[in-house]
Amino acid sequence: MKRAYNFNAGPAALPLAVLEKANAEWLNIFGSGMSVMELSHRSKEYEQIHAKAQNLLRELMNIPENYEVLFLQGGASLQFSMVPMNLLPKDQVAYYVLTGAWSDKALKEAKKVGKTKVAASSKEDNYTYIPPIEEIQLGEDAAYLHITSNNTIYGTQWKVFPTSSTVPIVADMSSDILSKKIDVSSFGLIYAGAQKNLGPSGVTVVIIRKDLINNSLSELPTMLNYETHAKNNSLYNTPPTMAIYLLSLVLEWVKEQGGVEAIEKINEQKAKVLYKMIDESEGFYKGHALPDSRSHMNVTFTLPNEELTKKFLSQAKEEGFVGLSGHRSIGGCRASIYNAVPLEHCEKLAEFMETFRIKNNLLLKK
């Protein structure tokens, strides 16, 4: 079977080695005579999977002991509500940096819970850049500062994160978690839907500093309280066992590649291949993001006109390239090059882009 060149934005590519291992264990995990989907979440077999995923994530991200690692459901979108429900007192304000559609959605949900303010924004410039850290305005009433570390739709990414010794930094890292080294201790809370770099859709990882888990929020629905999940090791209700199993295999794969440092170097190479193609195309391809804000996960670009864009996407599909359409809100094209996308696939895409440019540049000049 020929594998597609998968550049989907999410759910996205998974490492082939992970899929092959899951396939080999599909009907008989740990000699149990059952699939992982059939295991009780209270069984010893599943406990082993659960612990492995938590421990590997701690190891790979160097997560300090004073942080909880939670496996939740509802995607990052549910965290848009859970974060303010748990971290925003009535007499304080949640500050948000707007860098794209997802940070905007997070802000809208927080407004339903309590007081909010925009700390900085690139919205007026169609989210082409990440606002400079020195532009972020926080008041003494700040409960937390929320950022979106990578913006899948617009192709921008934070290169340096804001820091504070008094205000917790909350980060939606759904699309670039585990793609580069970060200092977890600089954040109060990190959350990420798994379906880009961590595994399949269905499980959301939350990494939260223990002192931010409030044990006096009895008015919250039980399932929306971080304390519920921390006290029960993310096993208060039936967790998404299959998704967590695949997450554990992806984390195992990252470790086998040499850890996050090795993954980061490969991601830099992949991004360099595609941005070089864009920059040397004499304007045929134009990147959406400003160079100093470019994402290493989502490469967004446009062609000279809509007719050529449709032709590009059609011919790319014929050549086996999948998922290159830009988000419906901005159009154009997007190549999502998450951890599991091989460098070779990026090189193949760059070759296709160059061939397409040469052929169609001639037609444009006629």
Side-chain angles (χ1 to χ4, degrees):
M1 172 187 170
K2 183 180 179 182
R3 297 273 294 164
Y5 299 124
N6 187 352
F7 293 96
N8 277 321
L14 286 167
L16 180 58
V18 166
L19 296 173
E20 288 173 339
K21 183 168 184 179
N23 183 55
E25 296 179 339
W26 187 245
L27 295 177
N28 188 22
I29 184 77
F30 302 147
S32 65
M34 294 177 283
S35 163
V36 67
M37 293 184 293
E38 300 173 282
L39 293 177
S40 166
H41 64 292
R42 307 293 182 190
S43 66
K44 290 183 179 179
E45 291 88 353
Y46 178 71
E47 283 179 8
Q48 182 178 333
I49 293 167
H50 199 85
K52 176 184 172 184
Q54 288 177 326
N55 292 336
L56 278 173
L57 193 62
R58 283 189 177 278
E59 178 185 345
L60 291 167
M61 293 185 67
N62 195 25
I63 299 172
E65 286 299 315
N66 63 322
Y67 284 74
E68 292 282 358
V69 175
L70 308 177
F71 297 142
L72 307 183
Q73 299 176 62
S77 294
L78 182 58
Q79 294 308 305
F80 297 164
S81 299
M82 281 187 73
V83 167
M85 282 180 172
N86 284 265
L87 302 187
L88 180 55
K90 291 180 181 179
D91 60 344
Q92 289 187 276
V93 178
Y95 285 79
Y96 283 72
V97 179
L98 300 185
T99 52
W102 300 112
S103 56
D104 199 33
K105 288 182 178 181
L107 173 62
K108 286 177 182 177
E109 294 304 308
K111 284 180 177 178
K112 299 175 183 179
V113 177
K115 298 174 186 177
T116 63
K117 286 184 181 178
V118 175
S121 175
S122 57
K123 191 171 187 176
E124 289 186 1
D125 293 295
N126 200 22
Y127 297 128
T128 55
Y129 67 95
I130 298 295
I133 288 177
E134 57 268 22
E135 289 185 7
I136 296 174
Q137 300 291 322
L138 292 179
E140 293 182 0
D141 55 1
Y144 61 84
L145 173 67
H146 181 284
I147 67 169
T148 305
S149 60
N150 182 75
N151 301 281
T152 55
I153 294 174
Y154 298 92
T156 60
Q157 186 178 30
W158 289 79
K159 304 304 179 185
V160 179
F161 295 115
T163 58
S164 173
S165 59
T166 56
V167 179
I169 309 298
V170 175
D172 175 358
M173 292 191 176
S174 293
S175 53
D176 66 349
I177 191 170
L178 221 66
S179 71
K180 61 180 182 178
K181 283 195 71 177
I182 64 164
D183 179 7
V184 173
S185 66
S186 297
F187 298 87
L189 188 153
I190 293 168
Y191 64 91
Q195 65 272 16
K196 296 175 172 69
N197 274 333
L198 295 176
S201 56
V203 61
T204 305
V205 169
V206 172
I207 303 166
I208 181 171
R209 211 171 63 214
K210 290 179 180 180
D211 65 285
L212 295 178
I213 298 174
N214 193 333
N215 60 11
S216 63
L217 297 176
S218 58
E219 76 280 4
L220 280 187
T222 303
M223 284 292 289
L224 298 181
N225 191 329
Y226 289 129
E227 186 189 28
T228 300
H229 304 287
K231 284 175 62 177
N232 292 278
N233 192 29
S234 301
L235 292 164
Y236 175 79
N237 68 323
T238 305
T241 54
M242 183 66 183
I244 294 171
Y245 161 69
L246 286 168
L247 164 63
S248 74
L249 296 189
V250 170
L251 296 174
E252 191 174 59
W253 173 82
V254 170
K255 185 175 180 178
E256 289 169 355
Q257 305 313 300
V260 178
E261 284 186 0
I263 291 289
E264 182 175 7
K265 288 178 182 178
I266 296 170
N267 285 335
E268 289 172 352
Q269 288 179 273
K270 293 187 295 186
K272 185 177 181 180
V273 165
L274 294 180
Y275 286 123
K276 185 173 186 289
M277 172 55 56
I278 291 169
D279 292 340
E280 295 181 357
S281 70
E282 300 177 345
F284 187 84
Y285 300 109
K286 293 182 179 178
H288 176 81
L290 296 183
D292 61 355
S293 294
R294 283 173 166 175
S295 169
H296 283 184
M297 296 284 96
N298 308 95
V299 179
T300 53
F301 58 95
T302 58
L303 283 79
N305 55 55
E306 186 62 26
E307 182 182 350
L308 274 176
T309 301
K310 290 179 179 178
K311 185 178 180 182
F312 175 89
L313 292 171
S314 175
Q315 291 187 7
K317 187 175 182 180
E318 290 174 5
E319 295 295 321
F321 297 99
V322 175
L324 290 175
S325 296
H327 191 272
R328 59 187 179 276
S329 63
I330 65 167
C333 301
R334 169 177 58 178
S336 296
I337 52 175
Y338 304 123
N339 289 356
V341 176
L343 173 61
E344 180 190 357
H345 290 193
C346 295
E347 292 170 339
K348 292 286 186 183
L349 176 57
E351 290 172 11
F352 170 78
M353 289 172 69
E354 176 66 358
T355 301
F356 185 89
R357 182 189 72 86
I358 292 170
K359 288 181 179 178
N360 289 278
N361 241 349
L362 294 174
L363 295 174
L364 281 174
K365 293 175 181 178
K366 286 184 179 179

